[in-house]
Amino acid sequence: MNGQRKLLGVGLFTILAIALLLLLLPKGAFQQIKTAYALPGICLAFVLYVLSYLIITLRWQLLFRELDRRRVAVFPLLCISSAHNLYNQIFPARTGEISFVLLARRFEKLDASVCASSLVLARVFDFLVMGLAGAVLLIAVPGVLEIEQDVAFLV
């Protein structure tokens, strides 16, 4: 019953969002979007966006399982991750990071120390992955260093 109620809420929210788009966008805007962007490309981008959120949610689930020894359900964690990203985008100077700890404590009854340590670990892993990707880019792509020197010369 509770799952059906949540699904109904998501469905109603989606219908309301589409209705607002239809009302607020000027006439012909959808036709311009359709001609400017290929529909399969937009669909693929949306699928990849949702997939990235699912991967982030699974990362949080794995961190919580290792740190707190309990399994958190995927859907509530997906909602927490989405809200956390929203707050991160809205609030200045990455102060939205605090929202993850607060949301996980409130909705999943997790300890604040577990939430904070999982957040720190996730950011350390993010830093390592981005550093590794940068190193691979510098090694694998010829001419990257020359471009970097040319840009430094212009500044």
Side-chain angles (χ1 to χ4, degrees):
M1 180 72 179
N2 196 14
Q4 290 175 344
R5 191 172 178 191
K6 285 181 184 179
L7 188 61
L8 180 65
V10 169
L12 288 175
F13 179 77
T14 304
I15 291 170
L16 178 65
I18 291 171
L20 281 174
L21 275 175
L22 291 173
L23 288 173
L24 296 176
L25 284 177
K27 292 184 184 201
F30 282 113
Q31 186 63 29
Q32 289 176 347
I33 291 171
K34 203 166 105 178
T35 57
Y37 302 103
L39 188 60
I42 292 174
C43 292
L44 178 65
F46 179 74
V47 167
L48 290 175
Y49 184 74
V50 170
L51 186 64
S52 71
Y53 267 96
L54 287 173
I55 291 171
I56 290 169
T57 301
L58 293 175
R59 176 186 66 173
W60 289 122
Q61 190 179 41
L62 181 67
L63 282 171
F64 283 142
R65 190 180 325 144
E66 291 299 318
L67 292 173
D68 197 31
R69 300 286 182 223
R70 74 181 253 220
R71 185 169 172 85
V72 181
V74 173
F75 185 73
L77 204 50
L78 179 66
C79 295
I80 290 170
S81 296
S82 300
H84 168 245
N85 190 31
L86 171 74
Y87 292 135
N88 242 351
Q89 299 295 323
I90 291 174
F91 295 130
R94 306 286 290 185
T95 53
E97 295 287 0
I98 299 168
S99 69
F100 182 76
V101 176
L102 298 174
L103 289 168
R105 277 188 67 196
R106 180 173 180 197
F107 293 110
E108 288 300 313
K109 309 292 188 254
L110 292 166
D111 191 34
S113 62
V114 171
C115 297
S117 59
S118 66
L119 185 63
V120 169
L121 272 174
R123 295 302 168 239
V124 168
F125 289 146
D126 289 346
F127 179 75
L128 291 174
V129 167
M130 293 304 292
L132 182 65
V136 167
L137 177 70
L138 287 174
I139 293 169
V141 178
V144 170
L145 290 176
E146 289 91 23
I147 293 171
E148 195 173 283
Q149 289 171 352
D150 292 340
V151 171
F153 176 73
L154 291 174
V155 174

